[in-house]
Amino acid sequence: MANIESVTLEVADPTVAERFYTTAFGLDTQIRLRASAAPTTGFRGFLLALTVSQPATVDGFIGAALDAGATSLKPAAKSLWGYGGVVQAPDGTIWKVATSAKKDTGPATRQIDEFVLLLGVADVAASKRFYVERGLAVAKSFSRMYVEFAAGSSPVKLALYRRRALAKDVGVTPDGTGSHRLVIGGAAGPFTDPDGFAWEAASLAPTQEGLATK
């Protein structure tokens, strides 16, 4: 079964970005950073989400991100599905931290239960077929709105959502041009999907120059 082995964010300054992600979220092996000056404007069409155990942990991560220089897009609050908030990192990447729990059961921690890459796509059904043809297995599918793929041994789960709905969910307009500033690494690559998201073979993922990872 194909899955994601790495997620690389293309940023203006990998050193600065690494400092932010280490301080805000304590991320190490989940993301990689690569220097890039590729033009990009507006919504980049994807969201990185951290699922945690309780509201206090959401508040801790959101607070740390804001203190480290992130911008609030949606303050942490209760919703029909739980509790969560959305921030935009200084490099422009949008992050959501959420939990299905609505009450705390203990002190806040820095533990991340799940790391999800959510791609905003024009046609969920078409993108679902595209990825299934490349070896990804569907774990959940809700009509033409949302698809979640089985993560297997991957530290990152891939999901698809309609682009306009994703933009609304994170509190931005859906318009955007230029680079996604995102490269996905996995055995299924290299290819570019119908919405312009680039995959590369896992063996080609950066390991030295321009990479910031712990």
Side-chain angles (χ1 to χ4, degrees):
M1 181 183 71
N3 55 31
I4 295 176
E5 295 184 31
S6 64
V7 173
T8 300
L9 299 178
E10 296 184 332
V11 301
D13 188 328
T15 300
V16 171
E18 179 183 25
R19 187 180 307 119
F20 169 80
Y21 288 119
T22 300
T23 302
F25 304 132
L27 295 176
D28 42 39
T29 59
Q30 294 95 330
I31 61 169
R32 299 177 174 186
L33 302 168
R34 179 185 297 169
S36 174
T40 184
T41 64
F43 182 44
R44 296 179 187 172
F46 73 93
L47 166 72
L48 287 169
L50 306 178
T51 302
V52 300
S53 62
Q54 60 181 350
T57 300
V58 172
D59 289 337
F61 278 123
I62 293 291
L66 294 175
D67 289 344
T71 301
S72 177
L73 295 181
K74 279 194 171 182
K78 287 183 180 180
S79 69
L80 179 64
W81 305 108
Y83 183 87
V86 182
V87 298
Q88 188 167 31
D91 65 82
T93 304
I94 296 175
W95 292 80
K96 184 174 187 177
V97 187
T99 177
S100 59
K102 295 185 179 181
K103 294 183 179 180
D104 294 322
T105 57
T109 71
R110 294 276 289 176
Q111 180 177 336
I112 297 169
D113 296 333
E114 194 171 61
F115 184 85
V116 182
L117 170 60
L118 190 55
L119 303 182
V121 301
D123 187 328
V124 172
S127 291
K128 173 185 174 181
R129 288 194 299 271
F130 178 88
Y131 278 109
V132 168
E133 289 170 358
R134 280 150 186 81
L136 278 76
V138 174
K140 297 178 182 178
S141 183
F142 299 97
S143 185
R144 303 176 71 89
M145 286 288 297
Y146 177 83
V147 174
E148 186 177 290
F149 296 98
S153 60
S154 172
V156 183
K157 179 180 290 185
L158 177 66
L160 309 176
Y161 198 28
R162 289 194 303 182
R163 180 185 173 99
R164 287 187 173 275
L166 180 59
K168 181 178 180 180
D169 182 62
V170 300
V172 299
T173 63
D175 302 318
T177 62
S179 173
H180 290 295
R181 293 283 189 97
L182 173 75
V183 180
I184 307 164
F191 59 79
T192 299
D193 81 359
D195 293 273
F197 291 102
W199 284 62
E200 64 186 5
S203 60
L204 298 180
T207 56
Q208 296 179 11
E209 189 68 25
L211 169 66
T213 185
K214 303 293 284 185

